[in-house]
Amino acid sequence: MLTIAHLSDTHFGAYEGVGDRTVRAVEHLAAMRPGPDVVLVTGDIADHGHDDEYADAAAALARWSGPAPLLTCPGNHDVRPAFARHLREAAAEGPLDLVHDAAGVRFVLLDSLVPAPPGERIDHGVLAPESLRLLDEALADGRPTYVGLHHPPVDLHVALMDPIRLQNADELAAVIGRHENLVATLVGHAHTACATTFAGAPLLIGGGIASTVTLDAEALPAITPGLAPTFAVHLVGDDGRVVTHWRALP
Protein backbone atom coordinates (compact mmCIF):
# COMPACT_ATOMS: atom_id res chain seq x y z
CA MET A 1 0.00 0.00 0.00
CA LEU A 2 1.28 3.43 -1.00
CA THR A 3 -0.02 6.35 1.10
CA ILE A 4 0.17 9.90 -0.25
CA ALA A 5 -0.84 12.75 2.05
CA HIS A 6 -1.93 15.77 0.01
CA LEU A 7 -2.26 19.23 1.54
CA SER A 8 -2.75 22.50 -0.28
CA ASP A 9 -3.28 26.23 0.18
CA THR A 10 -1.90 26.87 3.65
CA HIS A 11 -1.77 30.65 2.99
CA PHE A 12 0.51 31.61 5.87
CA GLY A 13 -0.08 35.29 6.65
CA ALA A 14 -3.65 35.40 5.36
CA TYR A 15 -5.19 36.03 8.78
CA GLU A 16 -4.30 35.65 12.44
CA GLY A 17 -4.04 32.04 13.49
CA VAL A 18 -4.11 30.57 9.99
CA GLY A 19 -0.86 28.71 10.60
CA ASP A 20 -2.47 26.69 13.39
CA ARG A 21 -4.55 24.91 10.76
CA THR A 22 -1.42 23.62 9.03
CA VAL A 23 0.10 22.54 12.33
CA ARG A 24 -3.04 20.56 13.13
CA ALA A 25 -2.95 18.83 9.75
CA VAL A 26 0.75 17.98 9.97
CA GLU A 27 0.39 16.65 13.51
CA HIS A 28 -2.62 14.57 12.42
CA LEU A 29 -0.53 12.99 9.66
CA ALA A 30 2.43 12.46 11.99
CA ALA A 31 0.19 10.43 14.31
CA MET A 32 -0.85 8.00 11.56
CA ARG A 33 0.45 4.42 11.94
CA PRO A 34 1.79 3.50 9.49
CA GLY A 35 2.51 7.01 8.30
CA PRO A 36 2.32 8.39 4.77
CA ASP A 37 5.01 7.42 2.27
CA VAL A 38 5.12 10.98 0.96
CA VAL A 39 3.54 14.33 1.87
CA LEU A 40 2.71 16.81 -0.90
CA VAL A 41 1.81 20.48 -0.45
CA THR A 42 0.50 21.80 -3.77
CA GLY A 43 1.06 25.52 -3.57
CA ASP A 44 0.00 28.80 -2.00
CA ILE A 45 2.23 28.13 0.96
CA ALA A 46 2.30 31.88 1.75
CA ASP A 47 -0.45 34.42 1.20
CA HIS A 48 1.69 37.42 0.18
CA GLY A 49 5.04 35.77 -0.51
CA HIS A 50 6.81 37.51 2.38
CA ASP A 51 9.88 36.06 4.08
CA ASP A 52 8.23 35.99 7.50
CA GLU A 53 5.33 33.98 6.07
CA TYR A 54 7.72 31.40 4.64
CA ALA A 55 9.68 31.26 7.89
CA ASP A 56 6.46 30.44 9.74
CA ALA A 57 5.49 27.91 7.07
CA ALA A 58 8.88 26.19 7.21
CA ALA A 59 8.62 25.92 11.00
CA ALA A 60 5.12 24.45 10.79
CA LEU A 61 6.01 21.96 8.06
CA ALA A 62 9.11 20.94 10.01
CA ARG A 63 6.73 19.34 12.51
CA TRP A 64 6.57 16.58 9.94
CA SER A 65 9.36 14.48 11.43
CA GLY A 66 8.67 11.17 9.76
CA PRO A 67 11.08 9.49 7.34
CA ALA A 68 8.83 10.19 4.35
CA PRO A 69 9.72 13.19 2.15
CA LEU A 70 7.64 16.38 2.25
CA LEU A 71 7.50 17.93 -1.23
CA THR A 72 6.18 21.38 -2.18
CA CYS A 73 5.45 23.41 -5.29
CA PRO A 74 4.52 27.10 -5.65
CA GLY A 75 1.07 28.55 -6.24
CA ASN A 76 -0.16 31.90 -7.50
CA HIS A 77 0.17 33.56 -4.07
CA ASP A 78 3.78 32.45 -3.75
CA VAL A 79 6.89 34.41 -4.76
CA ARG A 80 9.64 32.26 -6.21
CA PRO A 81 12.76 33.82 -4.64
CA ALA A 82 11.37 33.74 -1.08
CA PHE A 83 9.81 30.30 -1.64
CA ALA A 84 13.17 28.96 -2.82
CA ARG A 85 15.12 30.48 0.05
CA HIS A 86 12.94 28.99 2.75
CA LEU A 87 11.57 25.78 1.25
CA ARG A 88 14.24 24.66 -1.22
CA GLU A 89 17.34 26.22 0.40
CA ALA A 90 18.40 27.41 -3.03
CA ALA A 91 18.18 30.38 -5.35
CA ALA A 92 15.23 30.60 -7.72
CA GLU A 93 16.36 30.17 -11.30
CA GLY A 94 13.26 29.70 -13.41
CA PRO A 95 10.38 27.41 -12.50
CA LEU A 96 10.78 25.54 -9.22
CA ASP A 97 10.00 22.11 -10.62
CA LEU A 98 10.96 18.96 -8.74
CA VAL A 99 11.30 15.27 -9.58
CA HIS A 100 11.45 12.90 -6.63
CA ASP A 101 11.36 9.10 -6.55
CA ALA A 102 9.92 7.47 -3.44
CA ALA A 103 8.30 4.18 -2.54
CA GLY A 104 8.86 2.81 -6.04
CA VAL A 105 7.02 5.59 -7.86
CA ARG A 106 7.89 9.01 -9.28
CA PHE A 107 6.50 12.38 -8.20
CA VAL A 108 6.83 15.34 -10.55
CA LEU A 109 5.98 18.66 -8.92
CA LEU A 110 5.51 21.42 -11.50
CA ASP A 111 5.59 25.18 -10.97
CA SER A 112 2.58 26.79 -12.66
CA LEU A 113 3.14 30.22 -11.08
CA VAL A 114 3.07 33.20 -13.47
CA PRO A 115 5.53 35.78 -12.06
CA ALA A 116 4.20 39.29 -11.46
CA PRO A 117 5.80 42.64 -10.60
CA PRO A 118 6.51 43.18 -6.88
CA GLY A 119 3.31 43.74 -4.95
CA GLU A 120 1.13 42.31 -7.72
CA ARG A 121 -0.21 38.82 -8.40
CA ILE A 122 -1.34 36.90 -11.48
CA ASP A 123 -3.88 34.29 -10.44
CA HIS A 124 -4.17 31.97 -13.44
CA GLY A 125 -1.49 29.37 -14.08
CA VAL A 126 0.82 28.55 -16.98
CA LEU A 127 3.40 25.78 -17.32
CA ALA A 128 6.61 27.02 -18.94
CA PRO A 129 8.14 25.10 -21.88
CA GLU A 130 11.01 23.93 -19.66
CA SER A 131 8.52 22.50 -17.15
CA LEU A 132 6.74 20.57 -19.88
CA ARG A 133 10.07 19.25 -21.18
CA LEU A 134 11.04 18.13 -17.68
CA LEU A 135 7.73 16.29 -17.33
CA ASP A 136 8.18 14.61 -20.72
CA GLU A 137 11.62 13.38 -19.69
CA ALA A 138 10.43 12.28 -16.25
CA LEU A 139 7.53 10.27 -17.71
CA ALA A 140 9.85 8.63 -20.25
CA ASP A 141 11.43 6.72 -17.35
CA GLY A 142 8.34 4.49 -17.43
CA ARG A 143 7.73 4.07 -13.72
CA PRO A 144 4.31 4.91 -12.21
CA THR A 145 4.20 8.71 -11.94
CA TYR A 146 2.11 11.25 -10.06
CA VAL A 147 2.08 14.83 -11.30
CA GLY A 148 1.46 17.62 -8.82
CA LEU A 149 0.87 21.30 -9.54
CA HIS A 150 -1.14 24.14 -8.09
CA HIS A 151 -3.66 25.05 -10.80
CA PRO A 152 -6.39 22.64 -11.95
CA PRO A 153 -6.25 22.08 -15.71
CA VAL A 154 -10.04 21.80 -16.10
CA ASP A 155 -13.13 23.72 -15.03
CA LEU A 156 -14.54 22.67 -11.67
CA HIS A 157 -17.84 24.54 -12.17
CA VAL A 158 -17.00 27.11 -9.50
CA ALA A 159 -17.35 30.65 -10.84
CA LEU A 160 -14.59 32.07 -8.64
CA MET A 161 -11.97 29.53 -9.68
CA ASP A 162 -12.63 28.47 -13.27
CA PRO A 163 -11.34 31.70 -14.90
CA ILE A 164 -8.02 31.36 -13.05
CA ARG A 165 -7.22 27.71 -13.71
CA LEU A 166 -4.24 26.43 -15.76
CA GLN A 167 -4.28 28.23 -19.12
CA ASN A 168 -2.23 25.79 -21.22
CA ALA A 169 -3.87 22.57 -20.12
CA ASP A 170 -3.83 21.29 -23.72
CA GLU A 171 -0.03 21.37 -23.71
CA LEU A 172 0.06 19.42 -20.45
CA ALA A 173 -2.39 16.86 -21.84
CA ALA A 174 -0.26 16.47 -24.97
CA VAL A 175 2.82 15.60 -22.90
CA ILE A 176 0.89 13.15 -20.74
CA GLY A 177 -0.64 11.60 -23.87
CA ARG A 178 2.80 10.57 -25.15
CA HIS A 179 3.18 8.20 -22.19
CA GLU A 180 1.13 5.54 -20.43
CA ASN A 181 2.44 5.72 -16.87
CA LEU A 182 0.63 8.69 -15.34
CA VAL A 183 -1.34 7.45 -12.34
CA ALA A 184 -3.01 10.71 -11.26
CA THR A 185 -2.66 14.49 -11.28
CA LEU A 186 -2.83 16.14 -7.85
CA VAL A 187 -3.63 19.85 -7.61
CA GLY A 188 -4.75 22.59 -5.23
CA HIS A 189 -5.84 26.22 -5.81
CA ALA A 190 -9.59 25.57 -5.70
CA HIS A 191 -9.84 25.23 -1.89
CA THR A 192 -12.39 22.44 -2.26
CA ALA A 193 -12.22 18.67 -1.91
CA CYS A 194 -13.28 17.20 -5.22
CA ALA A 195 -12.34 14.81 -8.00
CA THR A 196 -12.64 14.54 -11.77
CA THR A 197 -10.45 13.30 -14.63
CA PHE A 198 -7.82 14.81 -16.89
CA ALA A 199 -5.87 13.26 -19.77
CA GLY A 200 -7.44 9.88 -19.07
CA ALA A 201 -6.45 9.69 -15.40
CA PRO A 202 -7.81 10.88 -12.06
CA LEU A 203 -7.52 14.60 -11.25
CA LEU A 204 -7.67 15.00 -7.46
CA ILE A 205 -8.03 18.37 -5.72
CA GLY A 206 -6.61 18.26 -2.22
CA GLY A 207 -8.99 20.63 -0.44
CA GLY A 208 -8.00 23.78 1.42
CA ILE A 209 -6.10 24.13 4.67
CA ALA A 210 -6.57 27.89 5.17
CA SER A 211 -10.13 28.22 3.89
CA THR A 212 -12.85 26.71 1.71
CA VAL A 213 -14.17 27.96 -1.62
CA THR A 214 -17.84 27.06 -1.65
CA LEU A 215 -20.12 25.99 -4.47
CA ASP A 216 -21.97 28.74 -6.29
CA ALA A 217 -25.30 27.34 -5.11
CA GLU A 218 -24.39 27.21 -1.42
CA ALA A 219 -25.70 29.87 0.95
CA LEU A 220 -22.20 30.57 2.22
CA PRO A 221 -19.49 33.17 1.52
CA ALA A 222 -17.54 32.43 -1.66
CA ILE A 223 -14.40 32.00 0.48
CA THR A 224 -14.71 31.12 4.14
CA PRO A 225 -12.29 30.10 6.91
CA GLY A 226 -15.35 29.11 8.93
CA LEU A 227 -15.34 25.54 7.67
CA ALA A 228 -12.82 22.91 8.77
CA PRO A 229 -9.41 22.61 7.11
CA THR A 230 -9.43 19.75 4.61
CA PHE A 231 -6.77 17.61 3.00
CA ALA A 232 -6.59 14.32 1.12
CA VAL A 233 -5.04 10.95 1.78
CA HIS A 234 -4.59 8.94 -1.40
CA LEU A 235 -4.25 5.18 -0.84
CA VAL A 236 -2.83 3.13 -3.71
CA GLY A 237 -3.23 -0.64 -3.59
CA ASP A 238 -0.99 -3.24 -5.17
CA ASP A 239 -3.26 -3.18 -8.22
CA GLY A 240 -2.47 0.53 -8.75
CA ARG A 241 -6.00 1.70 -7.99
CA VAL A 242 -6.11 5.09 -6.24
CA VAL A 243 -8.66 5.51 -3.44
CA THR A 244 -8.92 9.03 -2.03
CA HIS A 245 -10.13 9.91 1.45
CA TRP A 246 -10.65 13.59 2.27
CA ARG A 247 -10.30 14.52 5.91
CA ALA A 248 -11.90 17.57 7.56
CA LEU A 249 -10.29 18.34 10.90
CA PRO A 250 -12.41 19.48 13.86
Side-chain angles (χ1 to χ4, degrees), residues 10 23 27 43 53 62 90-91 116 119 134 137-138 141 166 168 175 211-212 243:
T10 56
V23 170
E27 290 181 344
E53 296 173 345
L134 176 141
E137 294 168 1
D141 175 85
L166 187 72
N168 59 336
V175 172
S211 58
T212 298
V243 178

Side-chain angles (χ1 to χ4, degrees), residues 30 71 85 89 98 174 182 197 216 219 227 232 236:
L71 311 177
R85 282 194 299 272
E89 298 182 351
L98 179 67
L182 175 74
T197 58
D216 299 346
L227 298 178
V236 187

Side-chain angles (χ1 to χ4, degrees), residues 89-176:
E89 298 182 351
E93 298 180 3
L96 295 172
D97 303 317
L98 179 67
V99 178
H100 187 94
D101 297 331
V105 301
R106 173 159 286 183
F107 296 90
V108 183
L109 278 293
L110 299 176
D111 180 353
S112 54
L113 166 66
V114 179
E120 299 182 22
R121 190 177 75 239
I122 296 172
D123 286 328
H124 67 257
V126 174
L127 290 172
E130 55 263 45
S131 298
L132 293 167
R133 285 195 298 271
L134 176 141
L135 175 61
D136 202 16
E137 294 168 1
L139 285 167
D141 175 85
R143 75 185 71 191
T145 298
Y146 296 81
V147 173
L149 69 154
H150 185 64
H151 293 84
V154 300
D155 287 343
L156 302 178
H157 307 305
V158 176
L160 181 67
M161 305 308 301
D162 289 345
I164 56 172
R165 66 176 180 86
L166 187 72
Q167 298 297 294
N168 59 336
D170 55 340
E171 296 178 36
L172 175 59
V175 172
I176 291 170

